[in-house]
Amino acid sequence: MLIQFSVTNFLSFRDEVILSLSTNKDNSHKENLLFYKNERILPSVAIYGANAAGKSNLHKAMRAAIRMIRSSNNLQIDQPLLITPFLLDENSRNNKTKFEFIYVYNGIKYEYGFVLDTQYVWEEYLYEYRSSKPSMIFERSNINTYRFTSKSKPQLSKIVDKNTSNKLFLATATSWNSDLTKDAYMWFSNMVDTYDSQNLEELMFKEFEKNDNSLNEFILHLLQKADINITNFNYETNEQLKIMTSHQVIENGKKQEYELNYFDESNGTKRLFTYGPVLKNALENGKTIIIDEIDNALHPAMTKSLIEMFQNPNINKKSAQLIFNTHEISLLDLNLFRRDQIYFVEKDNKTGVSDLYSLDDFSPRKSENIQKGYLQGRYGAMPVVNLEDIEW
């Protein structure tokens, strides 16, 4: 369960921005909330903003940090790190990038962060919360200077020499069987994922190869929920995966069934197919998923239905979370979301710097028309369209 993510100096985010899934004291939609001890956590977050404002850059920041952790052990000595800082001022382009996560795994709350550039990991730290106060597991500074507690030192100090200046100690220690870092690492390995249109379809094909009948049932339920005229589908996983959908129509007063190839279906239908494995996996295992442009090719009612799956405790029994960006303003509704579930990304066109902030910062009334306020520019994060000064 993700509680907070922050990033500094990555792509258009020059200054630190914080995405918090920890709630305020507002009791709106309290039946939808997730819990860690006495802390209330959001099941979903929607992120809005104009084109090129930086919404996808936040998605890329989370993806880059997670991939860095997962792939750290595969790095060769002196292999460059694929990090792009803010490039539109001289100081930032030569400065370091920072990522930090606060999350819960196996009933323990962790705080993990690291600072790096394209060559070295300069700082890194891991804390756990066995009580209300954090306890250090390790701290790293100046690339290769480490601090441990009397409890963690006997085990972790032996692993320092196994690490290199471009690798994350969290990943290295876990690969050397440290039980002090294992759970903190496994959350990144198994419990959080980022998705966009490029990897959704590839993942779906891999999942179908497992021949999981329950996945078929889940996808068919999604399709029928969307009122799509598909009564069934089947697939073959020989040399190449082939999906055939069954459509029932009335022909000459009689019911007839015809098959279509998956690739002949509409983009919206194909998108629901690709969401099937992702949503099923998240809901069954309590994962946090981050989706770029969730509404791509989907009707607003269907997008809303997907979000409501995570906000329904009868469906979301394992505390899964959904973080997504979207342009779909019909979802800007306080009957669907709490005020702290709606975020905006706005870019300063004079500096190129993106900022991230919550609707809750504006303290709108619960009866306020959020859609109207957003379109009127009341919360920022709207494009300024001026066609009059353009020569056509």
Side-chain angles (χ1 to χ4, degrees):
M1 188 188 311
L2 179 64
I3 297 178
Q4 182 175 293
F5 170 73
S6 63
V7 57
T8 307
N9 197 31
F10 181 81
L11 295 177
S12 60
F13 292 104
R14 183 190 67 187
D15 308 317
E16 182 186 51
V17 295
I18 298 173
L19 178 68
S20 175
L21 283 85
S22 182
T23 72
N24 59 26
K25 296 180 180 179
D26 183 5
N27 283 322
S28 300
H29 303 295
K30 62 181 181 180
E31 70 279 0
N32 299 341
L33 298 177
L34 312 178
F35 291 89
Y36 167 70
K37 296 183 177 179
N38 293 324
E39 194 166 355
R40 307 189 310 171
I41 313 297
L42 298 173
S44 62
V45 166
I47 303 169
Y48 285 84
N51 292 114
K55 299 187 306 300
S56 291
N57 286 344
L58 184 66
H59 179 272
K60 290 176 182 176
M62 300 181 83
R63 180 174 63 186
I66 294 165
R67 287 184 175 179
M68 176 69 187
I69 296 164
R70 290 179 177 176
S71 63
S72 180
N73 282 320
N74 298 324
L75 294 172
Q76 302 299 312
I77 295 177
D78 297 329
Q79 182 176 340
L81 304 175
L82 301 178
I83 293 296
T84 305
F86 182 78
L87 298 174
L88 299 182
D89 71 51
E90 198 63 33
N91 181 59
S92 298
R93 64 166 48 227
N94 296 307
N95 214 334
K96 304 173 185 67
T97 296
K98 179 180 179 180
F99 301 107
E100 183 184 82
F101 295 85
I102 301 175
Y103 56 99
V104 175
Y105 184 67
N106 275 353
I108 301 298
K109 180 178 174 181
Y110 295 96
E111 181 178 344
Y112 174 67
F114 53 98
V115 177
L116 72 168
D117 57 20
T118 57
Q119 291 183 292
Y120 307 116
V121 177
W122 288 85
E123 299 175 30
E124 188 180 0
Y125 53 87
L126 176 64
Y127 306 100
E128 65 176 358
Y129 288 75
R130 298 282 176 176
S131 63
S132 60
K133 296 182 179 180
S135 300
M136 181 181 74
I137 296 179
F138 71 84
E139 291 180 347
R140 173 186 185 182
S141 59
N142 299 319
I143 303 176
N144 290 316
T145 301
Y146 292 85
R147 288 184 62 232
F148 306 108
T149 64
S150 57
K151 176 184 175 182
S152 63
K153 185 174 182 179
Q155 182 184 118
L156 295 181
S157 62
K158 300 175 183 177
I159 304 174
V160 168
D161 291 341
K162 314 293 184 184
N163 202 33
T164 59
S165 59
N166 64 338
K167 290 186 178 182
L168 294 169
F169 187 70
L170 175 70
T172 300
T174 303
S175 70
W176 285 89
N177 299 317
S178 169
D179 57 1
L180 296 174
T181 62
K182 181 181 177 181
D183 275 2
Y185 176 86
M186 292 307 293
W187 184 80
F188 291 103
S189 179
N190 297 331
M191 300 303 293
V192 59
D193 273 307
T194 62
Y195 300 99
D196 55 35
S197 57
Q198 295 180 350
N199 65 1
L200 279 168
E201 196 163 70
E202 179 182 348
L203 173 65
M204 178 193 69
F205 289 140
K206 289 181 179 179
E207 289 299 313
F208 272 130
E209 290 174 356
K210 297 177 181 178
N211 291 309
D212 181 0
N213 289 330
S214 65
L215 175 58
N216 300 12
E217 295 172 3
F218 187 89
I219 293 176
L220 193 59
H221 176 73
L222 276 183
L223 296 170
Q224 293 171 346
K225 190 177 179 69
D227 197 27
I228 293 174
N229 182 29
I230 294 179
T231 57
N232 207 345
F233 67 91
N234 59 73
Y235 56 90
E236 299 175 4
T237 56
N238 297 327
E239 295 182 1
Q240 188 175 3
L241 179 65
K242 182 180 180 181
I243 303 174
M244 299 298 295
T245 60
S246 298
H247 292 254
Q248 194 174 86
V249 298
I250 302 298
E251 184 178 1
N252 298 323
K254 296 181 180 180
K255 289 183 179 180
Q256 296 288 345
E257 198 161 274
Y258 291 96
E259 283 192 332
L260 289 180
N261 191 297
Y262 162 82
F263 292 104
D264 292 326
E265 294 286 356
S266 71
N267 288 336
T269 299
K270 288 188 285 188
R271 179 49 58 99
L272 286 176
F273 264 94
T274 61
Y275 276 155
V278 170
L279 299 175
K280 181 176 182 292
N281 188 10
L283 291 167
E284 288 184 351
N285 297 292
K287 293 182 65 170
T288 299
I289 57 174
I290 304 102
I291 299 180
D292 191 27
E293 297 183 355
I294 192 174
D295 54 319
N296 187 5
L298 287 184
H299 189 279
M302 192 61 223
T303 306
K304 180 182 177 183
S305 181
L306 298 183
I307 296 164
E308 287 175 335
M309 294 172 72
F310 287 80
Q311 303 198 159
N312 184 340
N314 295 320
I315 298 174
N316 186 10
K317 300 177 181 180
K318 297 291 184 68
S319 299
Q321 292 170 297
L322 173 65
I323 301 169
F324 62 93
N325 60 45
T326 179
H327 289 291
E328 183 48 66
I329 63 168
S330 68
L331 300 174
L332 281 171
D333 186 351
L334 294 183
N335 291 315
L336 175 64
F337 291 123
R338 296 163 49 91
R339 290 171 292 192
D340 51 8
Q341 283 183 273
I342 298 172
Y343 273 79
F344 300 104
V345 175
E346 184 170 55
K347 180 182 286 185
D348 184 338
N349 287 328
K350 293 181 180 179
T351 62
V353 174
S354 294
D355 190 20
L356 175 72
Y357 53 91
S358 171
L359 174 66
D360 195 49
D361 295 344
F362 297 87
S363 301
R365 299 184 307 276
K366 294 180 181 179
S367 60
E368 191 165 319
N369 187 327
I370 304 302
Q371 296 177 32
K372 182 178 179 181
Y374 177 59
L375 291 174
Q376 291 175 340
R378 195 176 301 162
Y379 317 120
M382 276 286 290
V384 178
V385 181
N386 187 353
L387 301 181
E388 296 180 358
D389 298 334
I390 299 176
E391 294 184 7
W392 296 92

